[in-house]
Amino acid sequence: QVQLMESGGALVQPGSALRLSCAASGATLNDYAIAWFRQAPGKEREGVPCIGSASSDGTTYYKESVRGRFTISRDNAKNTVYLQMNSVKPEGAAVYYCAAAIWCKGADLYGLSAAYWGQGTQVTVSL
């Protein structure tokens, strides 16, 4: 079974930087498209970035509101995907989840019914 575990969530101030990690076991993450999703209370879950699998050349995609501030990347030696978040905003506070599937759908994923999910990590942005 593919297992994903997010870490790195924290309480941060607006404008600060934070790096989230998604570590995998049971599979090679580079074989999958990996997306970060976030969900805040009262809001719909949304895809934030996605990075394609090696077979799709690892192309990255970003939600418009985070483009230029967030970066998704892989460390294949650690079987880990990162989300570097710079200049965080209060509206970015949410539980962040990573998920693995076959293809990116922009900043989201195709095939969510067959996707693997982590447990989530909380990002709080406090004034």
Side-chain angles (χ1 to χ4, degrees):
Q1 171 71 294
V2 179
Q3 294 186 316
L4 306 177
M5 185 171 67
E6 303 93 337
S7 62
L11 171 64
V12 296
Q13 294 184 329
S16 63
L18 193 66
R19 188 176 74 166
L20 307 183
S21 299
C22 175
S25 62
T28 299
L29 273 190
N30 204 33
D31 294 336
Y32 294 87
I34 308 296
W36 285 94
F37 293 83
R38 65 187 181 190
Q39 188 165 29
K43 298 186 67 177
E44 295 295 316
R45 185 184 66 194
E46 61 180 356
V48 185
C50 188
I51 184 167
S53 67
S55 65
S56 62
D57 302 321
T59 304
T60 57
Y61 306 88
Y62 295 92
K63 175 180 170 64
E64 291 290 342
S65 63
V66 307
R67 185 172 290 113
R69 297 187 296 113
F70 289 11
T71 303
I72 187 170
S73 63
R74 297 180 183 269
D75 184 338
N76 290 328
K78 296 181 178 180
N79 208 23
T80 297
V81 170
Y82 300 102
L83 178 61
Q84 178 67 45
M85 304 189 296
N86 294 332
S87 301
V88 298
K89 298 179 178 181
E91 54 265 41
V95 177
Y96 283 71
Y97 302 87
C98 63
I102 303 302
W103 295 292
C104 290
K105 181 184 180 182
D108 209 316
L109 291 170
Y110 288 108
L112 286 177
S113 64
Y116 301 97
W117 293 85
Q119 85 290 342
T121 188
Q122 176 73 53
V123 174
T124 303
V125 184
S126 179
L127 297 171

